[in-house]
CSV table of all heavy atoms in Angstrom, one decimal:
chain,number,residue,atom,x,y,z
H,1,PRO,N,67.0,42.0,48.2
H,1,PRO,CA,67.7,41.6,49.5
H,1,PRO,C,68.3,40.2,49.5
H,1,PRO,O,69.3,40.0,50.1
H,1,PRO,CB,66.6,41.8,50.5
H,1,PRO,CG,65.6,42.7,49.9
H,1,PRO,CD,65.6,42.3,48.4
H,2,PHE,N,67.5,39.3,48.9
H,2,PHE,CA,68.0,37.9,48.8
H,2,PHE,C,69.3,37.8,48.0
H,2,PHE,O,70.2,37.0,48.4
H,2,PHE,CB,66.9,37.0,48.2
H,2,PHE,CG,67.2,35.6,48.2
H,2,PHE,CD1,67.5,34.9,49.4
H,2,PHE,CD2,67.3,34.9,47.0
H,2,PHE,CE1,67.8,33.5,49.3
H,2,PHE,CE2,67.6,33.5,47.0
H,2,PHE,CZ,67.9,32.8,48.1
H,3,LEU,N,69.4,38.5,46.9
H,3,LEU,CA,70.6,38.6,46.1
H,3,LEU,C,71.8,39.2,46.9
H,3,LEU,O,72.9,38.7,46.8
H,3,LEU,CB,70.4,39.3,44.8
H,3,LEU,CG,69.4,38.7,43.8
H,3,LEU,CD1,69.2,39.6,42.7
H,3,LEU,CD2,70.0,37.3,43.3
H,4,ILE,N,71.5,40.2,47.7
H,4,ILE,CA,72.5,40.8,48.6
H,4,ILE,C,73.0,39.7,49.5
H,4,ILE,O,74.3,39.6,49.7
H,4,ILE,CB,71.9,42.0,49.4
H,4,ILE,CG1,71.6,43.2,48.4
H,4,ILE,CG2,72.9,42.4,50.5
H,4,ILE,CD1,72.9,43.9,47.9
H,5,TYR,N,72.2,39.0,50.1
H,5,TYR,CA,72.5,37.9,51.0
H,5,TYR,C,73.4,36.9,50.3
H,5,TYR,O,74.5,36.5,50.9
H,5,TYR,CB,71.3,37.2,51.5
H,5,TYR,CG,71.4,35.8,52.0
H,5,TYR,CD1,72.0,35.4,53.2
H,5,TYR,CD2,70.9,34.8,51.2
H,5,TYR,CE1,72.1,34.1,53.6
H,5,TYR,CE2,71.0,33.4,51.5
H,5,TYR,CZ,71.6,33.1,52.7
H,5,TYR,OH,71.7,31.8,53.1
H,6,LEU,N,73.1,36.4,49.1
H,6,LEU,CA,73.9,35.5,48.4
H,6,LEU,C,75.2,36.0,48.0
H,6,LEU,O,76.3,35.3,48.1
H,6,LEU,CB,73.1,35.0,47.1
H,6,LEU,CG,71.9,34.2,47.3
H,6,LEU,CD1,71.2,33.9,46.0
H,6,LEU,CD2,72.2,32.9,48.0
H,7,ALA,N,75.2,37.3,47.6
H,7,ALA,CA,76.5,37.9,47.2
H,7,ALA,C,77.4,38.1,48.4
H,7,ALA,O,78.6,37.7,48.3
H,7,ALA,CB,76.2,39.3,46.6
H,8,VAL,N,76.9,38.5,49.5
H,8,VAL,CA,77.8,38.7,50.7
H,8,VAL,C,78.3,37.4,51.2
H,8,VAL,O,79.5,37.2,51.5
H,8,VAL,CB,77.0,39.5,51.8
H,8,VAL,CG1,77.8,39.5,53.1
H,8,VAL,CG2,76.8,40.9,51.4
H,9,ARG,N,77.4,36.4,51.2
H,9,ARG,CA,77.8,35.1,51.7
H,9,ARG,C,78.9,34.4,50.9
H,9,ARG,O,79.8,33.7,51.4
H,9,ARG,CB,76.6,34.1,51.7
H,9,ARG,CG,76.8,32.8,52.4
H,9,ARG,CD,75.6,31.9,52.2
H,9,ARG,NE,75.4,31.4,50.8
H,9,ARG,CZ,74.5,30.6,50.4
H,9,ARG,NH1,73.6,30.2,51.3
H,9,ARG,NH2,74.4,30.3,49.2
H,10,SER,N,78.9,34.7,49.6
H,10,SER,CA,79.8,34.0,48.7
H,10,SER,C,81.1,34.8,48.4
H,10,SER,O,82.1,34.3,48.1
H,10,SER,CB,79.2,33.7,47.4
H,10,SER,OG,78.7,34.8,46.7
H,11,LEU,N,81.0,36.2,48.6
H,11,LEU,CA,82.1,37.0,48.2
H,11,LEU,C,83.0,37.5,49.4
H,11,LEU,O,84.1,37.8,49.3
H,11,LEU,CB,81.6,38.3,47.5
H,11,LEU,CG,80.9,38.0,46.2
H,11,LEU,CD1,80.3,39.3,45.6
H,11,LEU,CD2,81.9,37.4,45.1
H,12,MET,N,82.4,37.6,50.6
H,12,MET,CA,83.1,38.1,51.8
H,12,MET,C,84.0,37.0,52.3
H,12,MET,O,83.5,35.9,52.7
H,12,MET,CB,82.1,38.6,52.8
H,12,MET,CG,82.8,39.3,54.0
H,12,MET,SD,81.6,39.9,55.2
H,12,MET,CE,81.0,41.4,54.3
H,13,SER,N,85.3,37.2,52.3
H,13,SER,CA,86.2,36.1,52.7
H,13,SER,C,87.0,36.4,54.0
H,13,SER,O,87.9,35.5,54.3
H,13,SER,CB,87.2,35.9,51.5
H,13,SER,OG,87.9,37.1,51.3
H,14,GLY,N,86.8,37.5,54.7
H,14,GLY,CA,87.5,37.7,55.9
H,14,GLY,C,87.2,38.9,56.6
H,14,GLY,O,86.3,39.7,56.2
H,15,GLU,N,87.8,39.1,57.8
H,15,GLU,CA,87.5,40.3,58.6
H,15,GLU,C,87.7,41.6,58.0
H,15,GLU,O,87.0,42.6,58.2
H,15,GLU,CB,88.3,40.1,59.9
H,15,GLU,CG,87.8,39.0,60.8
H,15,GLU,CD,88.6,39.0,62.2
H,15,GLU,OE1,89.0,40.1,62.6
H,15,GLU,OE2,88.8,37.9,62.7
H,16,ARG,N,88.8,41.7,57.2
H,16,ARG,CA,89.1,43.0,56.5
H,16,ARG,C,88.0,43.4,55.6
H,16,ARG,O,87.6,44.6,55.6
H,16,ARG,CB,90.4,42.8,55.7
H,16,ARG,CG,91.7,42.7,56.6
H,16,ARG,CD,92.9,42.6,55.7
H,16,ARG,NE,94.1,42.5,56.4
H,16,ARG,CZ,94.9,43.6,56.8
H,16,ARG,NH1,94.4,44.8,56.5
H,16,ARG,NH2,96.0,43.4,57.5
H,17,GLN,N,87.5,42.5,54.8
H,17,GLN,CA,86.4,42.8,53.9
H,17,GLN,C,85.1,43.1,54.7
H,17,GLN,O,84.4,44.1,54.4
H,17,GLN,CB,86.1,41.7,53.0
H,17,GLN,CG,87.2,41.5,52.0
H,17,GLN,CD,86.9,40.5,50.9
H,17,GLN,OE1,86.1,39.6,51.2
H,17,GLN,NE2,87.5,40.6,49.7
H,18,ARG,N,84.9,42.4,55.8
H,18,ARG,CA,83.7,42.7,56.6
H,18,ARG,C,83.8,44.1,57.2
H,18,ARG,O,82.8,44.8,57.2
H,18,ARG,CB,83.7,41.6,57.8
H,18,ARG,CG,82.5,41.8,58.8
H,18,ARG,CD,82.8,41.2,60.1
H,18,ARG,NE,83.9,41.9,60.8
H,18,ARG,CZ,84.5,41.5,61.9
H,18,ARG,NH1,84.1,40.3,62.4
H,18,ARG,NH2,85.4,42.2,62.5
H,19,ASP,N,84.9,44.4,57.8
H,19,ASP,CA,85.1,45.7,58.4
H,19,ASP,C,85.0,46.9,57.3
H,19,ASP,O,84.5,47.9,57.6
H,19,ASP,CB,86.4,45.8,59.1
H,19,ASP,CG,86.5,44.9,60.4
H,19,ASP,OD1,85.4,44.6,60.8
H,19,ASP,OD2,87.6,44.6,60.9
H,20,LEU,N,85.5,46.6,56.1
H,20,LEU,CA,85.4,47.6,55.1
H,20,LEU,C,83.9,47.9,54.7
H,20,LEU,O,83.5,49.0,54.6
H,20,LEU,CB,86.1,47.1,53.8
H,20,LEU,CG,86.0,48.0,52.6
H,20,LEU,CD1,86.6,49.4,52.8
H,20,LEU,CD2,86.6,47.3,51.4
H,21,VAL,N,83.1,46.8,54.6
H,21,VAL,CA,81.7,47.0,54.3
H,21,VAL,C,81.0,47.7,55.4
H,21,VAL,O,80.2,48.6,55.2
H,21,VAL,CB,81.0,45.6,54.0
H,21,VAL,CG1,79.5,45.8,53.8
H,21,VAL,CG2,81.7,45.0,52.8
H,22,VAL,N,81.3,47.3,56.7
H,22,VAL,CA,80.6,47.9,57.8
H,22,VAL,C,81.0,49.4,57.9
H,22,VAL,O,80.1,50.3,58.2
H,22,VAL,CB,81.0,47.2,59.1
H,22,VAL,CG1,80.5,48.0,60.3
H,22,VAL,CG2,80.4,45.8,59.1
H,23,ARG,N,82.2,49.8,57.6
H,23,ARG,CA,82.7,51.2,57.7
H,23,ARG,C,81.9,52.0,56.6
H,23,ARG,O,81.5,53.1,56.9
H,23,ARG,CB,84.2,51.3,57.4
H,23,ARG,CG,85.0,50.8,58.6
H,23,ARG,CD,86.5,51.2,58.4
H,23,ARG,NE,87.3,50.6,59.4
H,23,ARG,CZ,88.1,49.5,59.2
H,23,ARG,NH1,88.2,49.0,58.0
H,23,ARG,NH2,88.9,49.0,60.1
H,24,LEU,N,81.8,51.4,55.4
H,24,LEU,CA,81.0,52.2,54.4
H,24,LEU,C,79.6,52.3,54.8
H,24,LEU,O,78.9,53.4,54.5
H,24,LEU,CB,81.2,51.4,53.0
H,24,LEU,CG,82.5,51.6,52.3
H,24,LEU,CD1,82.6,50.7,51.1
H,24,LEU,CD2,82.8,53.0,52.0
H,25,VAL,N,79.0,51.3,55.4
H,25,VAL,CA,77.6,51.4,55.8
H,25,VAL,C,77.4,52.5,56.8
H,25,VAL,O,76.5,53.3,56.8
H,25,VAL,CB,77.1,50.0,56.4
H,25,VAL,CG1,75.8,50.2,57.1
H,25,VAL,CG2,77.0,49.0,55.3
H,26,LEU,N,78.4,52.5,57.8
H,26,LEU,CA,78.3,53.6,58.9
H,26,LEU,C,78.6,54.9,58.3
H,26,LEU,O,78.0,55.9,58.7
H,26,LEU,CB,79.3,53.2,60.0
H,26,LEU,CG,79.0,52.0,60.8
H,26,LEU,CD1,80.0,51.8,61.9
H,26,LEU,CD2,77.6,52.0,61.4
H,27,LEU,N,79.5,55.0,57.3
H,27,LEU,CA,79.7,56.3,56.7
H,27,LEU,C,78.5,56.8,56.0
H,27,LEU,O,78.1,58.0,56.2
H,27,LEU,CB,80.8,56.2,55.6
H,27,LEU,CG,81.1,57.4,54.8
H,27,LEU,CD1,81.6,58.6,55.7
H,27,LEU,CD2,82.2,57.1,53.7
H,28,GLY,N,77.7,56.0,55.3
H,28,GLY,CA,76.5,56.4,54.8
H,28,GLY,C,75.5,56.8,55.8
H,28,GLY,O,74.8,57.8,55.7
H,29,GLY,N,75.5,56.1,57.0
H,29,GLY,CA,74.6,56.5,58.1
H,29,GLY,C,74.9,57.8,58.7
H,29,GLY,O,74.0,58.6,59.0
H,30,VAL,N,76.2,58.1,58.8
H,30,VAL,CA,76.6,59.4,59.3
H,30,VAL,C,76.2,60.5,58.3
H,30,VAL,O,75.7,61.6,58.8
H,30,VAL,CB,78.1,59.5,59.5
H,30,VAL,CG1,78.6,60.9,59.8
H,30,VAL,CG2,78.5,58.5,60.6
H,31,ILE,N,76.4,60.3,57.0
H,31,ILE,CA,75.9,61.3,56.1
H,31,ILE,C,74.4,61.6,56.2
H,31,ILE,O,74.0,62.7,56.2
H,31,ILE,CB,76.3,60.9,54.6
H,31,ILE,CG1,77.8,60.9,54.5
H,31,ILE,CG2,75.7,61.8,53.6
H,31,ILE,CD1,78.3,60.3,53.2
H,32,VAL,N,73.7,60.5,56.3
H,32,VAL,CA,72.2,60.6,56.4
H,32,VAL,C,71.9,61.3,57.7
H,32,VAL,O,70.9,62.1,57.8
H,32,VAL,CB,71.6,59.3,56.3
H,32,VAL,CG1,70.1,59.3,56.6
H,32,VAL,CG2,71.7,58.7,54.9
H,33,SER,N,72.6,61.0,58.8
H,33,SER,CA,72.3,61.7,60.1
H,33,SER,C,72.6,63.2,60.0
H,33,SER,O,71.7,64.0,60.5
H,33,SER,CB,73.2,61.1,61.1
H,33,SER,OG,73.0,59.7,61.3
H,34,VAL,N,73.6,63.6,59.3
H,34,VAL,CA,73.9,65.0,59.2
H,34,VAL,C,72.8,65.7,58.4
H,34,VAL,O,72.3,66.8,58.8
H,34,VAL,CB,75.3,65.3,58.5
H,34,VAL,CG1,75.4,66.7,58.1
H,34,VAL,CG2,76.4,64.8,59.4
H,35,TRP,N,72.3,65.0,57.3
H,35,TRP,CA,71.2,65.5,56.5
H,35,TRP,C,70.0,65.6,57.4
H,35,TRP,O,69.2,66.6,57.3
H,35,TRP,CB,71.0,64.5,55.4
H,35,TRP,CG,70.1,65.0,54.2
H,35,TRP,CD1,69.2,65.9,54.3
H,35,TRP,CD2,70.2,64.5,52.9
H,35,TRP,NE1,68.6,66.1,53.1
H,35,TRP,CE2,69.2,65.2,52.2
H,35,TRP,CE3,70.9,63.5,52.2
H,35,TRP,CZ2,68.9,65.0,50.8
H,35,TRP,CZ3,70.6,63.3,50.9
H,35,TRP,CH2,69.7,64.0,50.2
H,36,ALA,N,69.7,64.6,58.2
H,36,ALA,CA,68.4,64.6,59.0
H,36,ALA,C,68.5,65.7,60.0
H,36,ALA,O,67.5,66.4,60.2
H,36,ALA,CB,68.3,63.2,59.6
H,37,PHE,N,69.6,65.8,60.7
H,37,PHE,CA,69.6,66.8,61.8
H,37,PHE,C,69.7,68.2,61.3
H,37,PHE,O,69.3,69.2,61.9
H,37,PHE,CB,70.7,66.5,62.8
H,37,PHE,CG,70.4,65.5,63.8
H,37,PHE,CD1,70.8,64.2,63.6
H,37,PHE,CD2,69.5,65.7,64.8
H,37,PHE,CE1,70.5,63.2,64.5
H,37,PHE,CE2,69.2,64.8,65.8
H,37,PHE,CZ,69.7,63.5,65.6
H,38,TYR,N,70.2,68.4,60.1
H,38,TYR,CA,70.1,69.7,59.4
H,38,TYR,C,68.7,70.1,59.2
H,38,TYR,O,68.2,71.2,59.4
H,38,TYR,CB,70.9,69.7,58.1
H,38,TYR,CG,70.7,71.0,57.3
H,38,TYR,CD1,71.4,72.1,57.6
H,38,TYR,CD2,69.8,71.0,56.2
H,38,TYR,CE1,71.3,73.3,56.9
H,38,TYR,CE2,69.7,72.2,55.5
H,38,TYR,CZ,70.4,73.3,55.9
H,38,TYR,OH,70.2,74.5,55.2
H,39,GLY,N,67.9,69.1,58.7
H,39,GLY,CA,66.5,69.3,58.5
H,39,GLY,C,65.8,69.6,59.9
H,39,GLY,O,64.8,70.4,59.9
H,40,PHE,N,66.2,68.9,60.9
H,40,PHE,CA,65.6,69.1,62.2
H,40,PHE,C,65.9,70.5,62.7
H,40,PHE,O,65.0,71.2,63.2
H,40,PHE,CB,66.1,68.1,63.2
H,40,PHE,CG,65.6,68.3,64.6
H,40,PHE,CD1,64.3,68.0,65.0
H,40,PHE,CD2,66.5,68.8,65.6
H,40,PHE,CE1,63.9,68.2,66.3
H,40,PHE,CE2,66.0,69.0,66.9
H,40,PHE,CZ,64.7,68.8,67.2
H,41,VAL,N,67.1,71.0,62.6
H,41,VAL,CA,67.5,72.3,63.1
H,41,VAL,C,66.7,73.4,62.3
H,41,VAL,O,66.3,74.4,62.9
H,41,VAL,CB,69.0,72.5,63.0
H,41,VAL,CG1,69.4,74.0,63.3
H,41,VAL,CG2,69.7,71.6,64.0
H,42,THR,N,66.6,73.2,61.0
H,42,THR,CA,66.1,74.3,60.1
H,42,THR,C,64.5,74.2,60.1
H,42,THR,O,63.9,75.3,59.9
H,42,THR,CB,66.6,74.2,58.7
H,42,THR,OG1,66.4,72.9,58.2
H,42,THR,CG2,68.1,74.4,58.7
H,43,VAL,N,64.0,73.1,60.2
H,43,VAL,CA,62.5,72.9,60.1
H,43,VAL,C,61.9,72.4,61.3
H,43,VAL,O,60.9,72.9,61.8
H,43,VAL,CB,62.1,72.0,58.9
H,43,VAL,CG1,60.6,71.8,58.8
H,43,VAL,CG2,62.7,72.5,57.6
H,44,GLY,N,62.5,71.3,61.9
H,44,GLY,CA,61.9,70.6,63.0
H,44,GLY,C,61.9,71.4,64.3
H,44,GLY,O,60.9,71.5,65.0
């Protein structure tokens, strides 16, 4: 996590890059959410 912090601090240079990273993070979250609620519907 500390290396992630150093990498983001030194490599991210503007709003476009920030928004790109955030979009990818949220895309991953949406995929995981679909996975989780599929499990909830079928098992939970």
Side-chain angles (χ1 to χ4, degrees):
F2 183 60
L3 292 174
I4 291 288
Y5 154 77
L6 291 175
V8 171
R9 187 186 70 180
S10 60
L11 297 173
M12 186 177 286
S13 60
E15 292 184 28
R16 288 180 180 271
Q17 291 185 335
R18 179 203 67 190
D19 291 342
L20 173 63
V21 176
V22 171
R23 288 192 189 103
L24 285 174
V25 170
L26 294 182
L27 175 61
V30 170
I31 294 173
V32 171
S33 298
V34 172
W35 193 337
F37 279 102
Y38 174 78
F40 174 74
V41 172
T42 57
V43 180

